[in-house]
Amino acid sequence: MKRKILSALLCVAMTATMLAGCGDKADDSKNSDSDTQQEADNNAGDDKQEAADDAGDSEGGGNKLTVWCWDPAFNINAMEKAGEVYQKEHPDFTVDVVETPWDDIQKKLTTAATSGALDTLPDIILMQDNAFQKNVISYPEAFVDLTDSGIDFSQFGEAKTAYSVIDGKNYGVPFDNGAVIAAYRTDVLEEAGFKIDDFTDITWDEYLEKGKTVLEKTGKPLLSCQAGESDVIMMMLQSCGSSLFDDDGNPAMVDNAALKKVMETYNALKEAGVLVEVNDWDQYISTMTTETVAGTINGCWIMASIKTANDQSGKWAITNMPKLVDVENATNFSNNGGSSWAITSNCQNVDLAKDFLASTFAGSVELYENIIESGAIATYLPAGDSDVYGKADEFFGGDAVSAKIVEYAGKCPSNNTGVYYYEARNAVAIAMQNVVQGANVDDELKAAQETVEFNME
Amino acid sequence: MSQTKGAKKRKLSLEKKHNLTGWIFLTPATIMIAVMSFWPMIQAFILSFQTGKANKLKFGGFTNYIRMFQDKDFMQSLSNTFFYLIIQVPVMLILALILASMLNNKNLRFKGLFRTAIFLPCATSLVSYAIIFRSLFGVDGFINSVLIKLGILNTGYNFLGNATSAKIVIIIALIWRWTGYNMVFYLSGLQNIEYSVYEAAKIDGASPMQTFFKITVPLLKPTILLTTIMSTNGTLQLFDESVNLTKGGPSNATITMSHYIYDQSFKYVPKFGYAAAMSFLIFILVAILAFIQMKVGDKRD
C-alpha cells in the first residue's frame, strides 16, 4: 500500500514538473535565446501560440515581436542587433528570435496556411527571395502588404526589391545581399600571366579563352559548381535581365535566345574543362579551400566560405562576372540568393512591426555598420556610403570589397522568379545535365518547358 | 491493485475477466492508432480526390489518379523505384540468407563478433550513412582514390554523375545498410530448426549445398516471406538515399517515388491532393505485391 501511495505521488510529481517545464519554456523564450533555440523545433508551435495570446492580451500595447530566421552568425545576429538599435528609442521593446532553418520555415508556413492555422506563425519571418512569389501568391492571406507602410523601397537595389513585389505591392523588406561576384586566386592568375584586371568587365568568350590558358599553365579550372543545380545558369540568365518566365508568368524557355546562349556557354566551359562539376555543396566549397580551382562565381555570401581558408589570405581578389556575348542587355552583374523580411498576418501589432522594420533594416545605416563583421552586406543603398563599407579587406588583397558589392547590387538587372520558379529551375538543371551529356539544346529546352507547363496545370 | 479490482469485479466469470483485462490493455493503443494513423489515412484518401494548388482545393474525382500516369517525372520515379526493388531485394535477401547460414555454424569462432559487425550498419542513421556513401563515391572520394592507386583508373570517375553508376551506388548502399537487418531475422528463424535435422542429413551424406536448399530454405520459408514483404515495402517507400545520396540526379535518374512526392508537396508549389494520390498508389502497390508474395510464398493451407 505504501508503495502505491509512493508511486502515485511520483506520478503527480512528474506531471507537475512536466507542466512546470512547459511554463518555464514560455517564460524563457522572452529572456534567453540559447534555450529557446534548442527547444524551438519541438515547441515553436506552442510558444508561438502563447506569444500570440500574449500579444492579444495587450491589445496595441504589446511591444514584443517574434521572429523566425536561420543562421546564428548571420541573420539571427542581424535581427538581434536590429532589436538593440530599436531599443534605444523604445526601451521596453523586445525581439524574440527563434532559430528556424529555412526548410522548416517553408514547411511550417505551408502547413499553417493550408490548415488555416495562421495563428501558429510568428510576427516576422525571413523568406528566401526565390520562394517569395510562390508563397505570397499561394497564400496571400498569410502576409501583410507593406506598400504604404512608410518604408522607402527606393532605397534598396531595384533587382533585390523586385523579388518581394507581387502585383505591384511590396510584401518584404529586402535584407541580405546576393549580388554576384567573381572571385579569383591572384597568385594562380599570375602564374598564367594574368592580373585581376584581365578578368574585369570581360565577356564569357574571353573568360573561356583565358580559362583555357590558366588550365594549361597551372592545371586549375577557373570555376566549379554543383552538378544538377542551376545556380550558374540562373546567374548568367539574370545578368542580361532575362527570366524563365514572361511577364504573365508563363514559362518562356523555348525560343529564349538568352537561355539558349547561357546553356551553350555553360556547355563550352564544361567541355573545355574550365568549369568542373562536383556532386554536392561540401565538395564545391572544398574545391576552393583545397586550391583545386582558381576561382568561383557566386552570390557575395560565398566570401564567408572562401574566408574559412585562413592560409589563403591576401591571395584572393574579387571583381564582376563575365557577360554574355550577342545577347541584348547583357551586363556584368547578377544576383544569386538572398532573403527578405516579411510580416505575417498573424502579427497582432502590425504598426509596431512596420515601424520596427522601417527604422532598422530600412532606415538605419548604423545597423548595417554593426553587422558587417558577420559578412552581412546590405542591399540598403545608403549603407554603401558609410565609412565602414570603404574599409579595406586584407583577405581580398586590401580591396574595399563591401563598397564594391553594394555598387554591383545597384547595377544588377531584375529577374522574374514567378510562382513556379523551383519547378523551372529544376527542369533547366535537368536539361543542362542532358546537354552536357550530348543532347540537343532546343530539344531539352522544349522538354523542360513541357515539364514546367505540366506542373502548372 | 489486483485485490481491489478483484473485489469489485467478483461477479464476472474468470474468462470474461480475462477478456476485459485484455481489452483494457488494448484500448489505449487502439485509440492512439485509430486517431494518429487511420484517421489521417482516411483524410489523405479524401484529399487524394481533390485538385488544385496550395489550399485552393476542389473536388476533382479521379483527376489526380489519371494525372500521375501522364506525369513523365513520376513515371520515371516509378521505374527507378522498381529497378531498385527488382535488383536490390533479391540480392540482399540471398546474401542475408547465405550469411545467416554461415554464421549459424556451431563450430565457427568469434560468431558474436561477425554477427555484430554485419548487423552494425543498421544502427547508423539513414541520413548520415547516405552522406558518407556520397563522399565515398565522390570524384575525389575514397573509392576513386583506391582505384587510382591500384592503377585501374587514371582520373576520378564521377559515379554519381552517371545514371547507371548512380543507381548502382544506391543499390550498394541499400545492401550494406539492410543485409544485416534481414540476416538477424534469418538467424532467429534458424534457431527454430533442430540441429539434429542437420546431423541426420550429414549422416545421410548430404552436401552442404543440399542441406541449404533442402532443409534450410524450406524450413525458413515463413521468415523469408516476412523479410520479402518488409523489404518490398521499405524499398517502395525509399526516400533518404535518393534525397541525400544522389539528390535524385543526374537528371532524375535516381529519384524515388517518395522523393518526388516530397518535392511536389514542399519544394514546388504545393499540390497536396496530387501528392496524396501518389502516396496512395504506393500504398496500393505495396498491398498488391504483398498479396502476390503471400499467395506464392505461403502454402500452409
Side-chain angles (χ1 to χ4, degrees):
Chain A
M1 201 60 183
K2 229 176 201 172
R3 186 172 287 174
K4 218 158 62 181
I5 293 170
L6 191 70
S7 61
L9 274 173
L10 278 174
C11 279
V12 172
M14 259 169 67
T15 324
T17 33
M18 273 166 72
L19 289 174
C22 287
D24 278 351
K25 242 168 261 162
D27 290 335
D28 277 354
S29 65
K30 283 167 198 155
N31 310 320
S32 96
D33 285 320
S34 55
D35 283 352
T36 328
Q37 277 173 18
Q38 283 159 5
E39 288 154 3
D41 271 342
N42 302 330
N43 298 300
D46 303 329
D47 281 357
K48 290 299 89 47
Q49 185 68 56
E50 292 187 43
D53 290 347
D54 285 351
D57 291 341
S58 50
E59 291 283 319
N63 40 28
K64 180 182 154 205
L65 292 173
T66 314
V67 182
W68 286 355
C69 57
W70 59 95
D71 198 343
F74 198 88
N75 301 318
I76 293 177
N77 175 46
M79 190 33 107
E80 278 166 356
K81 290 270 163 61
E84 285 166 22
V85 168
Y86 197 67
Q87 266 165 5
K88 283 182 192 161
E89 307 265 309
H90 308 79
D92 51 355
F93 172 80
T94 49
V95 56
D96 174 20
V97 185
V98 182
E99 181 179 2
T100 321
W102 163 246
D103 286 346
D104 290 359
I105 294 185
Q106 176 68 75
K107 272 178 228 162
K108 284 176 175 171
L109 178 65
T110 308
T111 319
T114 38
S115 60
L118 288 174
D119 56 355
T120 57
L121 295 174
D123 300 311
I124 296 173
I125 57 173
L126 186 63
M127 180 131 64
Q128 291 277 10
D129 287 333
N130 288 337
F132 222 111
Q133 305 264 332
K134 172 179 91 173
N135 284 322
V136 175
I137 294 175
S138 301
Y139 315 113
E141 70 282 3
F143 301 96
V144 174
D145 177 7
L146 303 175
T147 321
D148 302 317
S149 59
I151 295 169
D152 184 2
F153 290 100
S154 65
Q155 298 286 317
F156 293 93
E158 192 199 336
K160 173 75 183 180
T161 319
Y163 285 116
S164 53
V165 175
I166 290 100
D167 289 336
K169 289 178 194 157
N170 286 89
Y171 285 92
V173 176
F175 174 48
D176 71 312
N177 203 321
V180 169
I181 55 159
Y184 299 97
R185 285 286 298 271
T186 43
D187 55 332
V188 179
L189 295 189
E190 221 163 273
E191 217 181 309
F194 292 115
K195 284 200 178 65
I196 188 73
D197 290 343
D198 296 321
F199 284 87
T200 308
D201 297 326
I202 56 167
T203 64
W204 280 105
D205 283 358
E206 292 172 74
Y207 183 85
L208 179 60
E209 286 314 311
K210 288 173 183 171
K212 280 180 189 165
T213 317
V214 173
L215 185 64
E216 204 176 291
K217 293 198 177 159
T218 67
K220 289 186 168 122
L222 273 185
L223 181 61
S224 56
C225 72
Q226 286 185 83
E229 288 289 339
S230 45
D231 286 32
V232 172
I233 300 165
M234 295 312 299
M235 285 188 272
M236 288 182 179
L237 192 65
Q238 187 171 357
S239 74
C240 60
S242 184
S243 307
L244 297 173
F245 296 93
D246 62 18
D247 291 337
D248 302 325
N250 298 315
M253 300 176 200
V254 177
D255 300 328
N256 184 335
L259 181 57
K260 195 178 169 188
K261 186 75 198 170
V262 166
M263 293 182 79
E264 285 166 358
T265 309
Y266 185 97
N267 199 25
L269 291 169
K270 177 81 178 43
E271 272 180 2
V274 174
L275 176 149
V276 285
E277 286 181 336
V278 294
N279 293 318
D280 61 52
W281 180 256
D282 297 339
Q283 286 174 23
Y284 167 65
I285 297 296
S286 77
T287 56
M288 290 176 270
T289 51
T290 62
E291 319 195 331
T292 47
V293 293
T296 197
I297 295 176
N298 214 329
C300 60
W301 38 263
I302 197 68
M303 292 196 309
S305 302
I306 295 177
K307 278 184 168 179
T308 55
N310 287 324
D311 55 320
Q312 296 174 18
S313 178
K315 293 180 180 171
W316 285 88
I318 69 158
T319 184
N320 53 22
M321 70 182 284
K323 70 174 176 185
L324 290 163
V325 188
D326 300 332
V327 176
E328 259 183 281
N329 304 324
T331 70
N332 291 92
F333 308 99
S334 188
N335 186 77
N336 187 29
S339 45
S340 304
W341 303 105
I343 301 179
T344 73
S345 55
N346 183 44
C347 181
Q348 305 293 317
N349 205 334
V350 179
D351 290 334
L352 175 71
K354 280 178 180 171
D355 186 53
F356 167 63
L357 290 177
S359 45
T360 53
F361 290 99
S364 169
V365 173
E366 184 197 346
L367 167 66
Y368 289 107
E369 285 174 353
N370 288 346
I371 60 174
I372 194 158
E373 270 173 48
S374 65
I377 294 165
T379 41
Y380 183 60
L381 299 176
D385 301 331
S386 154
D387 293 341
V388 182
Y389 275 68
K391 228 174 91 187
D393 189 331
E394 288 310 317
F395 193 95
F396 293 97
D399 197 3
V401 285
S402 306
K404 226 177 195 178
I405 290 163
V406 175
E407 182 204 324
Y408 293 171
K411 290 180 185 169
C412 170
S414 65
N415 138 297
N416 172 19
T417 56
V419 188
Y420 296 91
Y421 184 69
Y422 282 88
E423 281 89 336
R425 256 181 90 103
N426 224 16
V428 167
I430 287 167
M432 194 63 245
Q433 282 175 302
N434 290 335
V435 169
V436 168
Q437 303 280 339
N440 179 292
V441 177
D442 288 318
D443 295 348
E444 286 304 319
L445 284 179
K446 194 162 162 275
Q449 174 137 341
E450 278 167 9
T451 308
V452 178
E453 277 167 355
F454 183 83
N455 272 313
M456 289 172 70
E457 270 169 24
Chain B
M1 201 71 162
S2 58
Q3 276 179 350
T4 43
K5 220 174 213 168
K8 269 185 211 163
K9 307 264 163 74
R10 197 163 285 156
K11 282 171 203 157
L12 294 172
S13 73
L14 191 69
E15 199 196 335
K16 267 186 186 163
K17 212 171 87 184
H18 280 179
N19 275 340
L20 194 70
T21 322
W23 279 112
I24 290 170
F25 276 117
L26 273 179
T27 317
T30 317
I31 292 173
M32 292 289 267
I33 293 172
V35 174
M36 302 288 185
S37 245
F38 292 129
W39 178 240
M41 271 160 75
I42 294 164
Q43 285 280 347
F45 187 64
I46 298 167
L47 186 65
S48 76
F49 290 104
Q50 292 175 322
T51 57
K53 307 285 153 55
N55 48 358
K56 299 173 202 82
L57 293 172
K58 59 177 192 295
F59 187 74
F62 284 94
T63 323
N64 286 329
Y65 289 91
I66 297 162
R67 180 191 163 91
M68 69 177 92
F69 291 99
Q70 298 161 344
D71 187 339
K72 274 186 283 175
D73 288 347
F74 182 65
M75 285 296 119
Q76 167 91 53
S77 71
L78 186 72
S79 74
N80 290 344
T81 313
F82 270 87
F83 180 83
Y84 299 141
L85 181 72
I86 290 162
I87 311 272
Q88 185 253 340
V89 172
V91 172
M92 175 183 72
L93 293 184
I94 290 166
L95 209 62
L97 199 52
I98 292 170
L99 284 170
S101 51
M102 275 164 69
L103 289 180
N104 199 42
N105 189 333
K106 280 222 158 102
N107 302 320
L108 188 74
R109 301 180 71 189
F110 306 122
K111 236 188 310 191
L113 181 75
F114 290 130
R115 282 183 190 184
T116 318
I118 296 170
F119 181 71
L120 216 53
C122 249
T124 56
S125 122
L126 288 169
V127 176
S128 51
Y129 105 91
I131 291 172
I132 288 168
F133 264 79
R134 189 176 70 196
S135 73
L136 274 181
F137 285 91
V139 183
D140 49 1
F142 178 73
I143 304 287
N144 269 316
S145 306
V146 170
L147 291 177
I148 292 169
K149 286 268 154 61
L150 291 176
I152 297 169
L153 287 177
N154 288 326
T155 54
Y157 181 73
N158 193 356
F159 287 102
L160 303 179
N162 176 297
T164 316
S165 59
K167 277 182 191 163
I168 292 169
V169 169
I170 287 203
I171 288 173
I172 293 172
L174 284 172
I175 289 172
W176 179 83
R177 176 69 167 72
W178 293 106
T179 303
Y181 182 71
N182 289 296
M183 184 194 76
V184 169
F185 283 97
Y186 293 144
L187 273 175
S188 77
L190 285 170
Q191 307 309 308
N192 291 330
I193 303 174
E194 275 289 324
Y195 199 70
S196 56
V197 180
Y198 287 105
E199 277 176 338
K202 224 178 198 171
I203 291 163
D204 289 346
S207 71
M209 287 298 271
Q210 279 175 318
T211 359
F212 181 74
F213 283 110
K214 304 272 167 169
I215 299 173
T216 312
V217 173
L219 287 175
L220 268 185
K221 216 171 187 179
T223 321
I224 294 175
L225 185 67
L226 171 80
T227 52
T228 318
I229 292 174
M230 282 198 318
S231 313
T232 309
N233 186 8
T235 312
L236 284 179
Q237 295 178 28
L238 205 62
F239 177 74
D240 302 71
E241 289 78 4
S242 170
V243 172
N244 295 306
L245 217 167
T246 60
K247 303 203 176 80
S251 316
N252 280 348
T254 58
I255 197 168
T256 62
M257 289 191 281
S258 299
H259 186 178
Y260 187 66
I261 292 171
Y262 174 85
D263 280 356
Q264 288 285 350
S265 320
F266 292 108
K267 192 173 165 193
Y268 298 164
V269 177
K271 288 185 272 288
F272 287 120
Y274 185 43
M278 289 190 285
S279 315
F280 264 90
L281 184 77
I282 297 185
F283 174 78
I284 293 163
L285 287 174
V286 170
I288 293 173
L289 287 174
F291 182 76
I292 294 172
Q293 284 159 357
M294 298 260 259
K295 278 286 152 203
V296 174
D298 198 358
K299 294 266 161 60
R300 267 183 298 188
D301 40 321

